[in-house]
Amino acid sequence: MADQLTGTTPRLPWVRDQLKIALEILDNPGGGLVFGYQALGQARALLAETEPERWEEPIRLLAEAEQQAVWRNFDQARNLIRKAQKKLPAA
């Protein structure tokens, strides 16, 4: 039971939800970039803070997606988010 209370495993549904939000709103006018970027960064930060070795590849992909979003390369950002999602275990 204790192993279920540590690490990112209990929080993976939240991470998935944050990435889904980022995909949906990233290029929406009226704040989509801000809120999408925030959702993306929060998901990446949780992975990096809890188990950085385990989630090294998704963390790298999400960091690059953040950069692409800032540069307004939304298609590239979405592709990187989708790649990161595939690196996470299925729900």
Side-chain angles (χ1 to χ4, degrees), residues 30-78:
L33 177 58
V34 172
F35 294 114
Y37 185 85
Q38 180 180 5
L40 185 55
Q42 288 176 339
R44 183 186 54 77
L46 179 71
L47 296 175
E49 289 173 4
T50 53
E51 298 180 73
E53 298 83 22
R54 179 179 181 187
W55 305 116
E56 183 177 347
E57 183 66 10
I59 291 167
R60 184 190 66 73
L61 291 166
L62 294 174
E64 178 64 22
E66 286 179 273
Q67 192 63 54
Q68 292 299 319
V70 169
W71 292 337
R72 301 192 182 281
N73 295 330
F74 298 119
D75 289 337
Q76 182 63 19
R78 281 194 192 88

Side-chain angles (χ1 to χ4, degrees), residues 77-90:
R78 281 194 192 88
N79 288 335
L80 290 162
I81 294 168
R82 287 186 191 103
K83 285 181 184 179
Q85 286 174 317
K86 290 178 183 175
K87 301 287 182 180
L88 300 175

Side-chain angles (χ1 to χ4, degrees), residues 12-25:
L12 282 176
W14 180 85
V15 169
R16 284 189 207 95
D17 287 345
Q18 293 300 302
L19 296 178
K20 182 180 175 187
I21 290 168
L23 281 171
E24 291 176 0
I25 67 171

